[in-house]
Amino acid sequence: MPELPEVEVTKLGIEPRVAGLIITDVRIFDGRLRWPVPIDLKDILKNQTCKSIGRRGKYLLFELTHGYLIIHLGMTGTLRVLPSSDPLKIHDRVTLEFGKLSLRLHDPRKFGAVLWHPKSKGPIEQFTLLQKLGVEPFSPEFSGELGSEILYQASRKRSVAVKQFLLAGQAVVGVGNIYCSESLFEAGIHPAKAAGKLTRPQCSRLAKAVRLILKKAIDAGGSSLKDFVNSDGDPGHFMVQTKVYDRKGLPCKVCKTPINQIVQGQRSTYFCPQCQKR
């Protein structure tokens, strides 16, 4: 599932190619996504200029002349910029046409989303799906010890495991399953430790680890397990850098202890029992 690094990589690849261009056409081949694609999307978007592309959590925010187009990649979605003359693929769901360029949402499982928020309804921050998201990990609000304090305060009296606390995204967004395991290893915290028992020093290490791991993942082009490719069709390479994720039974790269695997909330978690003592 594309997480924050993969969505950021997608944004970085798309924005230089379509920002400033005018949408000349919108084609909906199958609008039955997680939420139905607005049937009048073509009428809404045609002739609007794409001013910029932002990101909030895992949502891509296309700022247009009269509002925001919001795209979520779901479980298996990808966005690619291709020549409009390139043939369509079987799971292409929606395309935005920019003259001779085509921005195509390819989504085999149809868990993605294409939504519209007009400026007449207020700032994009007021969009329902964005209101409850935690702070952005690279924002000033999460920098330095501010991030540590956010994690510390949000985790108080929480009995849920710290892995699940991070995955929920209500304190800080974007720490998906792979990045949870890697961040907790970097911070030396056992994934089953109750969030409410985190100390301030642990929260400080964890906040730094989250920023470090997510930056490494973005620099590596994200993680490709099955479906993810960037806007040019290239896979991400972060998986070759992981220290614990998907390394069950292999020696820890720090202490040589075999990496363990457990299941938390139906998701696999990997950790070193020596470096991450409970």
Side-chain angles (χ1 to χ4, degrees), residues 56-247:
R56 183 71 175 98
K58 293 183 286 186
Y59 294 92
L60 286 167
L61 310 177
F62 290 71
E63 183 183 5
L64 305 182
T65 308
H66 303 300
Y68 288 85
L69 182 70
I70 301 151
I71 296 181
H72 193 290
L73 299 179
M75 295 291 290
T76 56
T78 58
L79 274 175
R80 294 188 62 189
V81 179
L82 300 165
S84 295
S85 58
D86 275 20
L88 293 166
K89 294 184 177 180
I90 188 172
H91 297 305
D92 288 342
R93 307 298 179 186
V94 179
T95 73
L96 302 183
E97 304 297 328
F98 297 89
K100 295 182 178 181
L101 287 181
S102 178
L103 178 63
R104 298 181 182 178
L105 174 64
H106 182 82
D107 188 3
R109 297 185 65 182
K110 299 197 291 188
F111 286 146
V114 179
L115 304 168
W116 172 246
H117 179 79
K119 290 184 178 179
S120 60
K121 289 190 176 181
I124 187 60
E125 292 79 14
Q126 295 181 8
F127 185 69
T128 305
L129 297 174
L130 306 183
Q131 289 180 3
K132 294 183 179 181
L133 295 180
V135 67
E136 288 286 331
F138 299 116
S139 67
E141 292 81 7
F142 199 72
S143 63
E145 289 307 305
L146 294 176
S148 171
E149 192 64 16
I150 284 174
L151 293 181
Y152 184 79
Q153 294 299 334
S155 62
R156 295 309 84 194
K157 299 182 180 179
R158 298 293 305 278
S159 60
V160 66
V162 62
K163 162 80 180 301
Q164 304 306 107
F165 168 73
L166 280 178
L167 273 180
Q170 295 178 346
V172 57
V173 296
V175 195
N177 197 48
I178 296 171
Y179 309 115
C180 273
S181 286
E182 293 297 306
S183 296
L184 290 168
F185 175 79
E186 186 71 27
I189 298 171
H190 195 287
K193 183 182 183 71
K197 293 185 177 180
L198 290 172
T199 64
R200 273 197 165 88
Q202 286 177 322
C203 287
S204 180
R205 296 202 306 270
L206 185 55
K208 292 175 183 177
V210 163
R211 291 191 294 270
L212 174 66
I213 295 301
L214 292 179
K215 184 181 186 304
K216 284 185 175 181
I218 292 169
D219 291 344
S223 300
S224 291
L225 295 177
K226 293 181 180 179
D227 303 282
F228 176 73
V229 293
N230 65 20
S231 58
D232 292 319
D234 300 321
H237 301 287
F238 181 72
M239 288 300 295
V240 301
Q241 301 181 24
T242 60
K243 294 181 179 179
V244 289
Y245 189 85
D246 202 28
R247 299 190 68 248

